[in-house]
Amino acid sequence: MTNSPAGHTPNVVLITGTSSGIGLHAAIAAAQAGHTVVATMRNLEGTRALLDAADATGVTLDIRRLDVTEAQSVTEVVAGIVGRYGRLDAVVNNAGSGHLGTIENETIDQVRAVMEVNFFGVVGVTRAALPHLRTSHGRLITVTSVGGVIGQPFNEAYCAAKFAVEGFMESLAPVVRSAGVSVTVVEPGAVATSFVANVGFDPTAPAAFGDPYAAGLAAYLARAGSSFASAQTAESAGSVVAALLDGDVPPFRVQTSDAARQFVGVKLADLDGSAVQRLTSDRIA
């Protein structure tokens, strides 16, 4: 899919989760590249940062409310896009939420909630969009995480959801490719955003996990805080996502930084799992 020539209908792109971070910057970069961007978010009270970025870059966005966990919301937004523009050329599944926890200290309902947003939300948007992407021979791009390849300590539910997304998309890709739709998963590593705030966990209270996990959690939070403070910018990661909308069909798996490529590479070359276990065990020591 490439930018449409002057006088032709521009490419129409739906991006979820655009109130901040990667989604916000992907929406801006895609609009700068000439795409018609439908930028969505769960709560329209969170539009200020996106509107400010659009004003600063001189782009126009079609901003709509979309809660990926609400089937009616998903159906209405996709139908509304096609009704207004007559087509849908690409979807960027970006909406999601972080989560810290370990299974002894949380409920099954908490785990289900993580899966609902990060996995079933992606499935629902994908299902609604696919008939229109088949018509346009479009692109389905899903932001997962390096945590969808390598499980992270105290991220069991989150990584399980991202693993599920990767398996879903890897299985779906050859099926929809036969109908003209390309599928890509994008795997960011640490991105410089407010990581701890986003997962809703108080970093000053690792003792809440109790023995024997408190020391490991404290070590993990200390390491995560330093990693995220010096990580790839959200703007850089968003630009990688937006670039996948143009030019040749991208590969199935794309990382957003050299650090992410190096990290994921450990897993892909680790036939017996020992390298990954050494790597992740070091994070809580």
Side-chain angles (χ1 to χ4, degrees), residues 146-247:
V146 295
V149 182
I150 295 181
Q152 308 293 300
F154 298 105
N155 282 261
E156 296 141 31
Y158 176 79
C159 287
K162 293 298 187 178
F163 267 62
V165 169
E166 292 250 345
F168 178 84
M169 291 297 172
E170 193 165 70
S171 301
L172 179 67
V175 177
V176 297
R177 186 186 306 120
S178 68
V181 179
S182 73
V183 174
T184 299
V185 295
V186 182
E187 299 163 343
V191 175
T193 57
S194 51
F195 170 73
V196 174
N198 287 344
V199 298
F201 187 83
D202 180 1
T204 67
F209 275 54
D211 293 332
Y213 306 121
L217 176 61
Y220 174 79
L221 289 172
R223 185 168 185 137
S226 61
S227 295
F228 277 80
S230 59
Q232 179 183 20
T233 65
E235 183 175 7
S236 172
S239 295
V240 172
V241 173
L244 299 173
L245 297 166
D246 292 306

Side-chain angles (χ1 to χ4, degrees), residues 2 9 14 31 63 123 152 187 193-194 203 219 268:
T2 58
T9 303
L14 164 63
I63 301 176
V123 173
Q152 308 293 300
E187 299 163 343
T193 57
S194 51
L268 298 181

Side-chain angles (χ1 to χ4, degrees), residues 72 154 252:
Q72 183 175 350
F154 298 105
F252 171 75

